[in-house]
Structures are given as C-alpha cells and as structure tokens.
C-alpha cells in the first residue's frame, strides 16, 4: 500500500501482508520522523467479526440445544413433503448418512443426535435447526469452529447441496421430495 506522510508529504510503501485485518495503521516517516495514521478501506465482501456477539446471533449453548429449548423448539418444524439428509463426504466417518427426523439435531463427538468419531469435533459441536424450508447451521461454541463456504461461522443458512466442515469432517446437506408410499 502506498501512503503519504501527513506532515512532510513524503511517500512510503507499507507492506500489505502486515495490514490485513486492521482498520487503520500508524507509521513513522523516515524523512521527518513524525507519526501518521492512515485509515484503511475495508473490503465490502470480507466477513466482519462482531465482538461481543449481538444477542440475536448468540447460541444459548449446547445443553439447551441437546435437551431441546422449549421456547424455540415450538417454532421449529420439518418441511412438508421434503426429506432432509446429512451425508458425511469426507473425514473419519465418511459414508455416514443421517436422515433428519426432527427439526433440531445436534452433531458432535459424543452424547449428540449424530455422533461423528472425529477427534477435532467437540462433544456438542453444532446444531441443524429447521423451520419449514429454512435450514440453519448453528455453532455451539465449539473449540475448533464450524466452517461454511471456507468461513468460520456461528450461524449460517443452508440449502440443498450445501457443504459445511466441522473438524476434519465435511457434511453435505440434501433436500429431496418425500416419496409417497405405494398403494
């Protein structure tokens, strides 16, 4: 990045690698030895981290989701006429397919609805919450994070053929029409 000293107008070249993730940078001019602060333009497509996380985006923690939160569970429901499946396409449990039979399922290493034997996954790692046609992936404050589209996420909306990663495991979401029983 090119920057100009605000005192003497001398031109400086700042290393881009050291500027990543910063909203502004200070540098000392080699000519007049004065300090200049430069505001950096943000990439509009970059993920913005909010800290502390706003109330609407916070998960209430794995125990609530594993046990079923009464106030939220009532609004969740599976979509009519559709079947949702979670398929492990990479990782230690590759080949595992789970047909979602309730509107909230917890994925984790142990004591969860879908147990995945991956040492990089937390006991209660993430939850899939479904309300009609909306499928929401929610990280349960896991140690190693939940990734969607190569971004660490706390909450993400999924659709047919979406993939997400937990630990070294990649999970594929598929939504298909429910087949009616033969008469």
């Amino acid at each position: 990045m090119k920057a100009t000293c605000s005192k003497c107008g001398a031109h400086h070249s700042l290393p881009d690698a050291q500027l990543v993730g910063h909203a502004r940078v200070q540098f000392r001019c080699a000519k007049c030895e004065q300090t200049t602060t430069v505001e950096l333009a943000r990439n509009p497509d970059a993920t913005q981290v909010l800290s502390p996380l706003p109330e609407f985006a916070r998960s209430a923690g794995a125990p609530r989701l594993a046990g079923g939160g009464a106030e939220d569970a009532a609004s969740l429901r599976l979509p009519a006429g559709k079947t949702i499946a979670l398929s492990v396409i990479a990782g230690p449990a590759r080949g595992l397919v789970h047909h979602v039979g309730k509107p909230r399922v917890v994925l984790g290493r142990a004591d969860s609805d879908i147990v995945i034997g991956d040492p990089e996954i937390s006991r209660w790692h993430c939850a899939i919450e479904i309300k009609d046609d909306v499928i929401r992936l929610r990280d349960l404050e896991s140690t190693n994070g939940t990734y969607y589209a190569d971004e660490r996420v706390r909450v993400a909306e999924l659709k047919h053929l979406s993939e997400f990663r937990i630990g070294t495991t990649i999970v594929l979401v598929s939504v298909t029409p429910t087949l009616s029983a033969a008469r």
Side-chain angles (χ1 to χ4, degrees), residues 106-120:
V106 176
L107 287 77
R109 191 182 68 246
D111 301 327
S112 56
D113 298 315
I114 302 173
V115 176
I116 299 174
D118 183 340
E120 300 295 316

Side-chain angles (χ1 to χ4, degrees), residues 139-151:
D139 183 73
L140 301 178
E141 299 172 11
S142 63
T143 302
N144 293 326
T146 300
Y147 292 82
Y148 174 69
D150 294 328
E151 297 275 344

Side-chain angles (χ1 to χ4, degrees), residues 3-180:
T4 304
C5 175
S6 61
K7 308 295 188 241
C8 70
H11 297 287
H12 297 276
S13 184
L14 304 176
D16 290 332
Q18 293 178 358
L19 305 178
V20 174
H22 297 285
R24 75 188 94 168
V25 63
Q26 276 189 337
F27 69 93
R28 183 177 301 273
C29 178
K31 185 175 179 183
C32 69
E33 296 191 13
Q34 296 297 315
T35 301
T36 298
T37 301
V38 178
E39 297 287 329
L40 302 177
R42 290 195 176 267
N43 178 354
D45 296 328
T47 301
Q48 184 175 5
V49 177
L50 301 176
S51 184
L53 194 63
E55 182 63 36
F56 69 85
R58 290 185 191 148
S59 79
R64 174 188 70 88
L65 292 171
E71 70 281 356
D72 291 334
S75 69
L76 298 176
R77 60 187 161 273
L78 293 172
K82 295 182 181 175
T83 300
I84 299 172
L86 303 174
S87 305
V88 177
I89 60 172
R94 184 175 183 206
L96 173 74
V97 177
H98 180 81
H99 294 278
V100 178
K102 58 185 185 174
R104 182 186 317 223
V105 292
V106 176
L107 287 77
R109 191 182 68 246
D111 301 327
S112 56
D113 298 315
I114 302 173
V115 176
I116 299 174
D118 183 340
E120 300 295 316
I121 294 177
S122 297
R123 178 179 300 271
W124 290 318
H125 197 97
C126 66
I128 300 291
E129 299 172 340
I130 304 163
K131 183 175 181 180
D132 298 322
D133 289 330
V134 177
I135 304 169
R136 186 163 290 126
L137 170 66
R138 183 179 305 274
D139 183 73
L140 301 178
E141 299 172 11
S142 63
T143 302
N144 293 326
T146 300
Y147 292 82
Y148 174 69
D150 294 328
E151 297 275 344
R152 187 170 182 162
V153 296
R154 291 182 188 251
V155 178
E157 199 166 300
L158 305 175
K159 59 185 182 210
H160 178 58
L161 300 181
S162 291
E163 295 178 7
F164 63 93
R165 181 174 61 83
I166 54 176
T168 60
T169 299
I170 298 175
V171 180
L172 173 73
V173 177
S174 58
V175 182
T176 56
T178 302
L179 300 175
S180 59

